[in-house]
Amino acid sequence: MQAAEDAWNTRDPEKVALAYTEDSVWRNRDTFVQGRAEIVALLKAKWERELDYALRKALWTFADNRIAVRFQYESHDAAGIWYRSYGNENWEFDSHGLMVRREASINDVVIDESERRIFGPRPESERGQEIPLR
């Protein structure tokens, strides 16, 4: 979980895409993509919109080659409006440990900048801590 969180917090689409198979399929909100090239394009567009993006992930459950994850991230848009985005992901892996399927459901809540609590990558001192519900 921490490795995935760390990779996403780099906001480097090419680096993140390496965790997925060449033909990986995604549902991200209402967008469906397939393959690393489309994943990279989706992530580039995402991080052009979601400025100062910072993420926290938490394992929900796992069995065999599937994992359910919950996450929260904060970002702001070009107008300076801050959001906390809450979501759940379902992951499926191949025999080499690469993700073949990712389905993400995400809800955005407008927050005041003073309500922020996620500031950049998770510090070492906070690793292993649960993310709050709200």
Side-chain angles (χ1 to χ4, degrees):
M1 292 307 316
Q2 192 61 56
E5 178 183 304
D6 291 345
W8 278 69
N9 277 324
T10 68
R11 298 185 296 247
D12 180 340
E14 287 83 8
K15 179 177 182 173
V16 171
L18 293 176
Y20 303 90
T21 61
E22 290 286 342
D23 61 348
S24 183
V25 293
W26 281 27
R27 179 185 57 79
N28 193 80
R29 297 178 187 257
D30 61 350
T31 303
F32 297 82
V33 299
Q34 182 168 1
R36 285 188 184 154
E38 290 184 15
I39 290 168
V40 167
L42 181 144
L43 293 174
K44 282 182 179 180
K46 170 186 181 62
W47 290 320
E48 288 173 0
R49 285 187 321 274
E50 296 175 352
L51 306 173
D52 294 318
Y53 172 99
L55 168 73
R56 298 294 182 270
K57 288 186 179 283
L59 178 65
W60 188 257
T61 190
F62 66 93
D64 301 321
N65 66 332
R66 294 187 173 137
I67 296 176
V69 175
R70 65 186 193 92
F71 63 87
Q72 296 174 24
Y73 65 84
E74 293 175 352
S75 63
H76 66 87
D77 63 17
I81 299 171
W82 281 92
Y83 299 88
R84 183 171 303 124
S85 301
Y86 297 87
N88 298 296
E89 294 176 310
N90 295 316
W91 299 349
E92 183 178 345
F93 296 89
D94 70 6
S95 61
H96 303 288
L98 295 175
M99 197 178 304
V100 297
R101 185 182 185 111
R102 174 185 174 267
E103 296 187 34
S105 298
I106 307 166
N107 300 295
D108 304 312
V109 177
V110 174
I111 61 171
D112 188 81
E113 186 172 4
S114 66
E115 297 175 279
R116 289 184 61 210
R117 56 181 166 71
I118 304 173
F119 300 92
R122 190 186 302 241
E124 193 69 37
S125 62
E126 292 179 15
R127 294 193 180 220
Q129 291 182 8
E130 189 62 36
I131 54 177
L133 182 60
R134 294 182 115 190

